[in-house]
Amino acid sequence: MQQTSECRWKCRLVGALDAVLDSNARVAPFRILLQVPGSQVYSPIACGATLEEINQHWDWLEQNLLHTLSVFDNKDDIASFVKGKVKALIAEETSSRLAEQEEEPEKFREALVKFEARFNFPEAEKLVTYYSCCCWKGRVPRQGWLYLSINHLCFYSFFLGKELKLVVPWVDIQKLERTSNVFLTDTIRITTQNKERDFSMFLNLDEVFKVMEQLADVTLRRLLDNEVFDLDPDLQEPSQITKRDLEARAQNEFFRAFFRLPRKEKLHAVMDCSLWTPFSRCHTAGRMFTSDSYICFASREDGCCKVILPLREVVSIEKMEDTSLLPHPIIVSIRSKVAFQFIELRDRDSLVEALLMRLKQVHANHPVHYNTSADDDMASPVFHSTSMCSDHRFGDLDMVSSQNSEESEKEKSPLLHPDALFTAFQQSGSQSPDSRMSREQIKISLWNDHFVEYGRTVCMFRTEKIRKLVAMGIPESLRGRLWLLFSDAVTDLASHPGYYGNLVEESLGKCCLVTEEIERDLHRSLPEHPAFQNETGIAALRRVLTAYAHRNPRIGYCQSMNILTSVLLLYAKEEEAFWLLVAVCERMLPDYFNHRVIGAQVDQSVFEELIKGHLPELAEHMNDLSALASVSLSWFLTLFLSIMPLESAVNVVDCFFYDGIKAIFQLGLAVLEANAEDLCSSKDDGQALMILSRFLDHIKNEDSPGPPVGSHHTFFSDDQEPYPVTDIADLIRDSYEKFGDQSVEQIEHLRYKHRIRVLQGHEDTTKQNVLRVVIPEVSILPEDLEELYDLFKREHMMSCYWEQPRPVAPRHDPSRPYAEQYRIDARQFTHLFQLVSPWTCGAHTEILAERTFRLLDDNMDQLIEFKAFVSCLDIMYNGEMNEKIKLLYRLHIPPALTENDRDSQSPLKNPLLSTSRPLVFGKPNGGAVDYQKQLKQMIKDLAKEKDKTEKELPKMSQREFIQFCKTLYSMFHEDPEENDLYQAIATVTTLLLQIGEVGQRSSSSGSCSQECGEELQASAPSPEQDSVFADTGKTPQDSQVFPEAEGDWTVSLEHVLASLLTEQSLVNFFEKPLDMKSKLENAKINQYNLKTLEMSQSQSELKLSNL
C-alpha cells in the first residue's frame, strides 16, 4: 500500500512538472475511453481541449468506425481492431505534422538564429533539428531547448534567472540509451567520459531518440571509422544533412539489412499493400519496398512471407482493372513465367511509372537473353555462365546475354575450375551408410515439392516453411545453388559476366603483402579435407582470395576469409564462390573483414547484451563477459566453421545464408544455454573455454551423407571417457524455438547502440597506448598528459568539423600506428600553442608557434604527432634552464627560422648598439663591472667544451640573433620583474654582441689582437650612457637595434647560455616553477571560443572579398 501511494505521489509530481514546465504536456479535460465489458482497463481513444472538439471526434468515430464493429463476434477482437485503427491514425497524423513542419521554414529559421546567437558556432555547424525538453541536473529538471547539429548536441535553458549551456560533441558520446530515473519512466541518457546527462519530457521521444542515434552514428563513423565507412551520397557533405536525410538513411539501412541487399541500393518508396500468396490462397497484408534494382515485399506478420524481385528478373509491370475486390492492383511478371499480384496500392499510377522507368534502365544496363528452345536440357539452369550448370531444374529461362558470351568466356579463362570441389572429392572418404543416403533423398524430395509450390528462383516466396527446411539442413547437391539464391549472389553473378575471369587474369602473378598473407594461409584452410590436400583446391582458393583482394583493396585479405572461402568452394563453383564471398564480406557481415574487425566487435557487444537478456544467471555468474566474447569471436568471423566439425558447421552456414547474422546470434545463445549449468560451476575462464570447446567439437550431423571431417578446433578432445554427442539439427531447432524472436530491426538498433561503445573503446585503447609510450619520456603528470591528449584530439576534430579538408591534414586514420592516428597541421598547432604554452609573447606568440612547428616537423610532412607536441611542452614547463635556452636557440636557427620568416625581413638601420663599445658596463648605483676577465675565461672554457660535444648546433647569425632577442623581450612583457629582466637582457645582449664581434675579428686575417686591444683599452661610459635601449618599454620589434655586419658575425649556443647565466634575474625567470593545470583548465574553456573566433573572422574576410 505504501508503494502504491508513493507511486501515485510521483505520478502527480511529474504531471505537475509537465504542466508547469511544458504547456503542451497538460492533460486534456475531455477524453473518449474504450473499455471492454468486464475489464478494469480503460484505453484512451481521443482527447480534446473543448466540448466542441471532443464532439467532433465522437462524430468521426460514429461515421467511420462504429458501424464496422458489428462484423466482429469477439469483444477482444473489437478492442484490438479499434486500438489498431487509432494507432494507425495517430501515426499518419504524426507523419503529416512532421512533413508540414519541414515545409514551414520560418520556425526553423527562428530557431537557427537563436542557436547561432547562443552557441556562437561557425556557419559550417549546421543545425539539423531542435526540440523542447528538460535536462535533469540531479533531481532538478531544467526546461529548455535541445539543439541537434551535425557535430554537437547542445542544450540551452534560462530558468529563474539562471542560464545553462551544454555543448557535447557527438564524438565524445560513449553511450546513448533510453532509460528511466526516479521521476520519469522514459528518458534519453547521454554518457560522456566524465558525466551522465538525462533529457526528458519530449513530445515524441521515439523520434528524438532515432534522430540522435542517427546523428551519433553518422558522425562517429565519419570521423572515427573512415577506414571502411562510406557515407550515403545524401550525407557526403555534412553541412547539407537534414532531418529528412537522416530518416531516409535509417529507412535505407533497415531495408538493406532486412533483405540483405547491396549497399549501393537506394530505397525509393515504401507503401502498404497486399500480395496474392497462392500457397495460402489469399492476399497477405504487408509493405512493398522499391529501390534502384529491386521490388521487395514483407508481410506485416513477421516470418509469414517475404519476396525479393530483382528488376533484372522482371519482364513486365502492368496495371489491372480496379474493382471492389481487387482495389488498385498491379501485376509483376517475371521470366520464370510467374506473376505476382499486388493490390491496395495508393498512388498506383506514379508507382508503376517510376518502376517502368527503372526497369527499362536495368534492362538497358544488363541485357537479358531469352532461351526460346523447347529442350528442357537447355532450359534447366537458371542462367548460363561459365559457372552455372546443374542437374536440378531451377527455372525455364536464361539470364545472360548469349551462349556465345559463355563460350568466349570459357576460352578466355581456361584456368577456372568448372565444378564445385565437393563433386570431385566426395568419394575420397569412406562410403556413407545407405540410411544416410536415403535421408538425403528424402530431403531432396521435400525441397522439390517446396519448389513446385513456392517457386525455385531468387523470386521464391520465403516463408516459415522454407526456414524449417533450411534448419533441417540443405541437401548437399542443392546447397551451393540455394546459398546463391538466399544471398542474392546469383543476381551479381548474372549481372557481371566475365568479371571474375578478368579479375583473375589481372591479379594472377602479382606479388604484394596481401598475396604473401594469402599464400601463408592457403594450406591452413580445411587441411583435413581431401579437396585441399592437393593443388586443385589450393589453386582455386588462391584465385578466389587474390581476385577478391584485387576487387576490394580496402579489405584486401583478412584471416578467416580463407576458411569461409574453402567451404564456399566445396559447394559452389569457383565464380559462384567468389560472388558468395562478395555477398558475405560486403553486405551480410558488414565491416567484419578489415583492419580492426569493427563489425565483428560490434556484434560481439550485441551478443553480450543478448546473453544478459536471455541468460541472466550465466551473465551474473560470469561478471566479465569479455571472456565469453573472446571465445565467441571466431563463431562470428568463421560462422562456426573453425570450431565445429565441418559436416555440422555447414548446416549453420545454411541458416546464415537464409536468416543472416540473426542465425549466428541465436545459435550462440543456444550453445551457451546448453552449457549454462557447467559454465556457472566453472572456476575460471580456462575451464569455461574447455567446456565450450568440448561441446562444440562433439556436435555431429547424423544426416550428413559424407564421411565425418574433423574441425580446426580439436584441442581438449582427447577425452578420458566418452563425451555426449549433440545433433546439429536439434541444436538449430532449439535456437529457433528459444531465441528466434530477435527481429532485424532490433538487431540493427542494438548495432547502432554498441557501435558507439566499440568505436569509443578503440579511441580509449589508442589514447592509453599513446600515453603509455609518452609517460616515461616526459615529466608531465599523467593526468595532465591525459588532458593534453584530449585537447590535441579535439583540435584535430574541430578542423574536421568546420574546415574544408586539406591535403596536409588528413582525417583520423585508424589503420596507422597508435601514435600517428591523430596528427595536427601548423594552424592547429598554433591554436594549441597559444592555449597551453607558457611562453606567451603577445602578438609574437603566433610567430613563435610557427617556428616551433617547423622545428618539430622532422620529416617535413607538415604534420606533427602528439609525442612531439608534449615533448616540446615538457621542456618549456619542466626543463632545466640549459634545455629551455637550447630550445629557444633552436627556434631561431634553421629549419625553425627560415629566410621567408614573416618577422625577419626588415633591414637593419640606425643601430643603438655600437660594435666599438667596451666590455665594461655602468650600474645604476655608480659602480662598474668589468667583464673582460670573464669573457676571456668563457672563451677558453667553450673551446674545451667544443671538443667534448658530439653534435654541435649551428652558430647563430646576426639576423637570427635579432629574432632571438625579440622573442626574449616579448616573453618578459607583463612579467612582475619586467624592468629587471629588460635591464638584464640589455646587458646580455651587449655582451653577446661583443662576443660575436670578437669571433668575427679573430676569423679575419691577423687583425683580432690589435682591434681587441684597442677595444679593451677604451674607457667605461657613464651610467647615463649605459642605457642600451632608450625606452625599456620598446622592444627590438619597434626599432632596428643591430648593425649590418660585414663578414660572418656569429655566436654559439654556448656563448648564449654562458652569457644568460651571468644575470640572476634571467636565471630566476627560466627556473621558476610553472603551473600547467591552470593553463589546461583555461584551454578547455577557451579552445572552442578561439577556434570559432578564427572561423568567424575568416568567413567575414571571405564575404568581404566576394563583395
Side-chain angles (χ1 to χ4, degrees):
M1 191 66 185
Q2 183 180 355
Q3 288 182 348
T4 304
S5 61
E6 185 180 346
C7 288
R8 286 177 180 169
W9 180 83
K10 286 180 181 176
C11 291
R12 287 171 183 167
L13 175 59
V14 172
L17 286 172
D18 280 347
V20 171
L21 299 177
D22 192 347
S23 59
N24 294 317
R26 294 177 184 173
V27 178
F30 299 97
R31 291 185 294 170
I32 298 174
L33 303 177
L34 170 69
Q35 182 197 23
V36 177
S39 172
Q40 298 298 317
V41 177
Y42 291 84
S43 302
I45 298 299
C47 61
T50 64
L51 183 61
E52 181 183 359
E53 184 181 354
I54 204 67
N55 282 331
Q56 289 176 354
H57 292 324
W58 180 258
D59 292 341
W60 188 93
L61 290 171
E62 281 188 329
Q63 295 171 12
N64 297 278
L65 197 62
L66 295 183
H67 70 277
T68 62
L69 301 183
S70 59
V71 299
F72 295 98
D73 298 327
N74 192 315
K75 297 173 183 177
D76 291 331
D77 290 343
I78 293 175
S80 178
F81 173 76
V82 173
K83 289 178 184 177
K85 190 69 174 177
V86 171
K87 286 181 180 177
L89 288 170
I90 292 172
E92 187 175 348
E93 173 63 20
T94 301
S95 61
S96 301
R97 188 172 66 248
L98 291 175
E100 183 180 349
Q101 182 180 347
E102 286 287 328
E103 292 167 4
E104 290 182 355
E106 289 303 321
K107 289 184 179 178
F108 187 85
R109 190 176 294 114
E110 182 182 343
L112 180 61
V113 170
K114 291 180 179 178
F115 170 72
E116 292 174 345
R118 288 166 176 172
F119 298 99
N120 194 32
F121 283 126
E123 289 182 11
E125 186 64 20
K126 184 181 184 302
L127 178 65
V128 176
T129 188
Y130 63 99
Y131 301 96
S132 171
C133 70
C134 275
C135 177
W136 290 79
K137 191 174 182 181
R139 296 188 175 185
V140 179
R142 297 290 298 267
Q143 180 70 18
W145 291 92
L146 181 70
Y147 297 93
L148 305 181
S149 66
I150 55 174
N151 297 303
H152 298 87
L153 177 151
C154 305
F155 179 80
Y156 179 85
S157 172
F158 189 81
F159 190 69
L160 300 178
K162 292 185 179 179
E163 187 179 54
L164 173 65
K165 288 184 185 180
L166 293 177
V167 177
V168 182
W170 292 115
V171 291
D172 286 354
I173 292 177
Q174 297 184 338
K175 194 183 292 184
L176 175 64
E177 57 189 341
R178 292 176 66 164
T179 182
S180 59
N181 60 25
V182 294
F183 292 105
L184 294 175
T185 57
D186 209 359
T187 64
I188 297 176
R189 175 167 293 171
I190 305 294
T191 304
T192 57
Q193 186 174 0
N194 302 315
K195 291 183 180 180
E196 288 182 348
R197 296 179 177 89
D198 290 341
F199 299 90
S200 65
M201 297 188 186
F202 295 97
L203 291 179
N204 190 339
L205 190 135
D206 288 337
E207 177 204 314
V208 178
F209 186 74
K210 286 179 181 177
V211 172
M212 292 171 72
E213 199 173 49
Q214 283 288 315
L215 271 172
D217 186 69
V218 167
T219 307
L220 263 72
R221 297 182 73 182
R222 173 169 55 89
L223 297 176
L224 303 183
D225 191 30
N226 56 311
E227 177 190 10
V228 294
F229 178 55
D230 282 329
L231 282 170
D232 294 339
D234 293 338
L235 305 178
Q236 289 286 359
E237 178 52 54
S239 63
Q240 303 301 318
I241 294 176
T242 65
K243 188 173 75 170
R244 191 174 295 175
D245 292 333
L246 294 173
E247 291 168 351
R249 176 181 184 262
Q251 268 197 327
N252 263 313
E253 293 279 349
F254 169 77
F255 165 68
R256 290 190 291 252
F258 187 81
F259 295 104
R260 295 191 297 282
L261 299 179
R263 182 166 180 79
K264 65 181 181 180
E265 281 302 307
K266 182 179 179 182
L267 183 64
H268 290 288
V270 181
M271 56 197 68
D272 293 333
C273 66
S274 294
L275 171 66
W276 174 255
T277 48
F279 53 88
S280 62
R281 300 187 181 279
C282 68
H283 283 92
T284 300
R287 290 190 298 171
M288 175 191 283
F289 302 79
T290 62
S291 66
D292 295 333
S293 308
Y294 291 86
I295 301 172
C296 302
F297 174 84
S299 60
R300 289 201 177 278
E301 184 182 344
D302 188 33
C304 175
C305 178
K306 184 166 70 172
V307 175
I308 299 174
L309 305 176
L311 289 180
R312 180 182 175 79
E313 287 287 296
V314 174
V315 175
S316 66
I317 302 171
E318 300 172 300
K319 292 183 285 187
M320 289 180 61
E321 184 180 351
D322 191 358
T323 67
S324 58
L325 293 177
L326 299 175
H328 311 297
I330 69 169
I331 295 291
V332 179
S333 303
I334 63 172
R335 295 189 298 107
S336 56
K337 299 179 181 178
V338 176
F340 293 85
Q341 183 190 78
F342 297 90
I343 63 172
E344 299 176 342
L345 283 160
R346 299 177 62 181
D347 200 10
R348 177 182 62 162
D349 294 343
S350 60
L351 170 67
V352 171
E353 184 180 352
L355 286 175
L356 287 173
M357 188 180 302
R358 288 198 289 275
L359 179 64
K360 182 179 179 181
Q361 185 176 357
V362 167
H363 283 186
N365 293 337
H366 303 286
V368 178
H369 171 71
Y370 295 93
N371 187 359
T372 57
S373 171
D375 188 352
D376 283 347
D377 292 336
M378 290 297 293
S380 60
V382 182
F383 47 85
H384 289 147
S385 77
T386 58
S387 63
M388 299 305 293
C389 181
S390 174
D391 296 328
H392 303 281
R393 184 184 177 91
F394 272 71
D396 299 315
L397 301 170
D398 298 344
M399 281 186 67
V400 295
S401 54
S402 70
Q403 194 171 350
N404 293 334
S405 67
E406 174 196 357
E407 294 172 358
S408 62
E409 177 62 23
K410 285 184 177 179
E411 291 175 4
K412 187 176 182 180
S413 305
L415 296 174
L416 305 188
H417 196 264
D419 298 308
L421 296 178
F422 169 77
T423 59
F425 294 94
Q426 61 180 342
Q427 297 180 348
S428 298
S430 59
Q431 293 294 321
S432 303
D434 292 338
S435 60
R436 290 190 174 188
M437 292 305 296
S438 64
R439 284 199 291 267
E440 186 77 356
Q441 292 300 325
I442 291 171
K443 284 185 181 181
I444 292 175
S445 177
L446 289 172
W447 275 97
N448 284 331
D449 292 342
H450 186 275
F451 292 146
V452 171
E453 188 173 4
Y454 293 87
R456 61 181 70 247
T457 68
V458 70
C459 305
M460 67 174 66
F461 290 97
R462 306 178 192 213
T463 66
E464 192 62 34
K465 184 176 179 181
I466 197 171
R467 178 177 281 126
K468 291 177 180 177
L469 285 175
V470 171
M472 291 167 56
I474 297 175
E476 302 273 317
S477 56
L478 301 180
R479 179 164 278 135
R481 284 301 183 90
L482 288 173
W483 285 358
L484 283 166
L485 295 182
F486 293 155
S487 65
D488 196 36
V490 65
T491 302
D492 287 335
L493 174 58
S495 302
H496 299 83
Y499 178 84
Y500 173 68
N502 293 334
L503 277 182
V504 170
E505 288 191 354
E506 290 172 11
S507 60
L508 212 59
K510 291 187 177 179
C511 187
C512 60
L513 183 61
V514 171
T515 56
E516 290 175 7
E517 292 177 0
I518 291 173
E519 289 296 327
R520 191 165 55 244
D521 286 347
L522 285 177
H523 295 277
R524 304 175 188 172
S525 310
L526 298 187
E528 69 283 351
H529 197 284
F532 298 98
Q533 293 171 357
N534 65 81
E535 186 55 31
T536 302
I538 294 295
L541 180 60
R542 178 188 292 112
R543 287 193 293 270
V544 173
L545 291 175
T546 306
Y548 184 77
H550 191 70
R551 163 191 165 87
N552 192 342
R554 287 201 302 180
I555 290 179
Y557 169 76
C558 294
Q559 285 189 345
S560 77
M561 285 173 67
N562 59 320
I563 298 172
L564 176 61
T565 308
S566 301
V567 176
L568 297 178
L569 282 166
L570 287 179
Y571 296 100
K573 297 168 187 177
E574 190 173 321
E575 188 175 4
E576 298 171 357
F578 170 80
W579 287 109
L580 283 169
L581 183 64
V582 169
V584 171
C585 293
E586 296 179 12
R587 62 175 181 263
M588 298 189 74
L589 295 178
D591 297 349
Y592 264 57
F593 302 98
N594 56 55
H595 175 68
R596 300 188 296 173
V597 291
I598 291 291
Q601 291 186 50
V602 170
D603 284 348
Q604 285 297 107
S605 190
V606 171
F607 188 52
E608 288 181 28
E609 181 163 332
L610 294 176
I611 294 172
K612 293 174 183 176
H614 290 87
L615 303 170
E617 293 182 3
L618 177 61
E620 185 177 353
H621 174 75
M622 303 192 73
N623 295 325
D624 185 8
L625 288 174
S626 59
L628 279 181
S630 63
V631 173
S632 60
L633 182 61
S634 60
W635 302 0
F636 290 85
L637 282 172
T638 66
L639 308 178
F640 286 90
L641 290 168
S642 64
I643 43 82
M644 195 184 284
L646 180 62
E647 67 271 13
S648 303
V650 290
N651 283 29
V652 179
V653 180
D654 294 342
C655 297
F656 168 75
F657 275 116
Y658 184 77
D659 267 325
I661 196 63
K662 169 187 172 180
I664 307 301
F665 281 127
Q666 63 193 35
L667 188 68
L669 291 171
V671 168
L672 294 180
E673 195 249 0
N675 294 274
E677 187 176 343
D678 292 338
L679 290 171
C680 287
S681 60
S682 62
K683 298 178 180 178
D684 53 40
D685 295 342
Q687 189 177 357
L689 171 62
M690 184 175 68
I691 291 168
L692 290 172
S693 300
R694 283 163 57 96
F695 175 81
L696 290 165
D697 201 45
H698 287 82
I699 295 176
K700 304 302 179 186
N701 186 355
E702 299 297 334
D703 295 341
S704 176
V709 180
S711 70
H712 293 266
H713 198 75
T714 55
F715 57 93
F716 300 127
S717 61
D718 298 330
D719 304 299
Q720 300 297 324
E721 58 185 37
Y723 191 85
V725 172
T726 302
D727 186 54
I728 184 63
D730 295 336
L731 187 64
I732 289 175
R733 186 180 61 252
D734 287 347
S735 75
Y736 275 103
E737 290 176 356
K738 296 178 180 179
F739 309 108
D741 57 345
Q742 295 294 324
S743 68
V744 171
E745 193 169 13
Q746 289 171 320
I747 291 174
E748 287 303 304
H749 167 69
L750 290 173
R751 279 176 162 175
Y752 278 131
K753 174 181 175 181
H754 289 279
R755 188 180 290 113
I756 294 174
R757 191 188 72 79
V758 170
L759 288 175
Q760 294 293 11
H762 276 275
E763 290 301 295
D764 288 341
T765 301
T766 299
K767 178 178 179 178
Q768 296 307 319
N769 278 285
V770 172
L771 293 179
R772 186 164 57 246
V773 171
V774 172
I775 285 174
E777 300 188 12
V778 297
S779 303
I780 301 173
L781 295 174
E783 56 267 28
D784 292 342
L785 265 181
E786 196 167 340
E787 296 281 1
L788 281 170
Y789 182 89
D790 292 339
L791 289 168
F792 188 89
K793 176 182 171 181
R794 191 174 298 124
E795 189 65 41
H796 169 93
M797 287 298 175
M798 285 193 296
S799 296
C800 295
Y801 296 160
W802 303 318
E803 296 179 6
Q804 291 296 324
R806 299 190 296 277
V808 296
R811 287 179 178 169
H812 168 56
D813 186 357
S815 64
R816 298 180 69 89
Y818 289 119
E820 300 177 15
Q821 288 188 15
Y822 287 108
R823 296 179 294 171
I824 57 177
D825 61 16
R827 286 175 58 186
Q828 297 161 357
F829 177 83
T830 300
H831 296 151
L832 277 182
F833 189 91
Q834 291 172 329
L835 288 168
V836 299
S837 171
W839 292 355
T840 52
C841 311
H844 194 67
T845 305
E846 189 174 338
I847 295 169
L848 186 63
E850 292 171 0
R851 294 172 184 167
T852 308
F853 180 86
R854 286 195 291 266
L855 177 65
L856 298 178
D857 185 20
D858 292 332
N859 56 3
M860 301 182 71
D861 64 351
Q862 304 301 311
L863 296 167
I864 65 165
E865 303 162 11
F866 178 71
K867 183 179 177 181
F869 171 67
V870 293
S871 299
C872 174
L873 280 183
D874 186 48
I875 295 174
M876 294 179 182
Y877 277 98
N878 303 312
E880 299 290 337
M881 180 178 174
N882 61 332
E883 293 175 316
K884 294 179 180 179
I885 299 304
K886 183 177 180 181
L887 175 60
L888 272 172
Y889 183 90
R890 294 181 65 196
L891 291 177
H892 295 86
I893 58 174
L897 187 72
T898 64
E899 289 293 331
N900 298 322
D901 193 293
R902 56 175 166 155
D903 195 47
S904 59
Q905 299 302 311
S906 56
L908 299 173
K909 297 178 181 178
N910 304 320
L912 288 175
L913 287 178
S914 169
T915 55
S916 62
R917 296 185 64 181
L919 295 179
V920 181
F921 300 97
K923 292 297 179 183
N925 58 9
V929 177
D930 186 354
Y931 285 103
Q932 183 179 11
K933 294 181 180 179
Q934 291 185 26
L935 177 59
K936 290 180 179 179
Q937 185 62 40
M938 185 191 306
I939 293 173
K940 290 181 182 178
D941 293 340
L942 291 174
K944 294 178 182 178
E945 288 295 324
K946 183 177 178 181
D947 297 334
K948 301 177 184 178
T949 306
E950 294 182 2
K951 186 177 180 181
E952 185 181 6
L953 286 173
K955 290 186 177 182
M956 184 179 282
S957 70
Q958 194 173 58
R959 182 182 73 89
E960 295 159 357
F961 179 64
I962 295 169
Q963 300 305 315
F964 179 80
C965 293
K966 284 185 178 183
T967 300
L968 287 178
Y969 271 85
S970 300
M971 288 172 63
F972 301 151
H973 185 56
E974 295 185 357
D975 189 275
E977 306 296 328
E978 181 177 3
N979 289 332
D980 291 342
L981 289 169
Y982 281 160
Q983 181 65 36
I985 197 60
T987 302
V988 169
T989 300
T990 305
L991 177 60
L992 284 170
L993 201 71
Q994 299 299 329
I995 292 173
E997 188 86 5
V998 170
Q1000 182 184 20
R1001 292 174 183 174
S1002 62
S1003 63
S1004 54
S1005 55
S1007 62
C1008 177
S1009 57
Q1010 179 184 356
E1011 292 178 2
C1012 285
E1014 293 176 358
E1015 187 174 312
L1016 293 175
Q1017 290 171 5
S1019 60
S1022 65
E1024 289 77 11
Q1025 293 173 319
D1026 183 57
S1027 181
V1028 179
F1029 292 98
D1031 183 357
T1032 57
K1034 291 185 178 180
T1035 69
Q1037 295 179 14
D1038 302 315
S1039 56
Q1040 286 76 31
V1041 295
F1042 298 109
E1044 190 83 47
E1046 297 177 2
D1048 295 328
W1049 183 101
T1050 58
V1051 291
S1052 67
L1053 171 63
E1054 292 79 10
H1055 291 142
V1056 173
L1057 182 58
S1059 302
L1060 291 172
L1061 288 172
T1062 61
E1063 293 293 332
Q1064 189 60 42
S1065 58
L1066 296 177
V1067 174
N1068 294 341
F1069 176 83
F1070 283 107
E1071 291 189 347
K1072 68 181 178 183
L1074 299 170
D1075 180 23
M1076 178 179 282
K1077 290 188 183 297
S1078 60
K1079 276 278 188 180
L1080 292 177
E1081 288 299 321
N1082 184 63
K1084 285 193 290 185
I1085 296 171
N1086 294 319
Q1087 188 174 20
Y1088 264 77
N1089 296 335
L1090 184 64
K1091 184 70 176 180
T1092 53
L1093 178 63
E1094 185 211 15
M1095 291 293 296
S1096 300
Q1097 290 174 346
S1098 62
Q1099 287 169 357
S1100 299
E1101 292 171 1
L1102 181 63
K1103 288 178 181 178
L1104 288 172
S1105 64
N1106 292 332
L1107 290 177

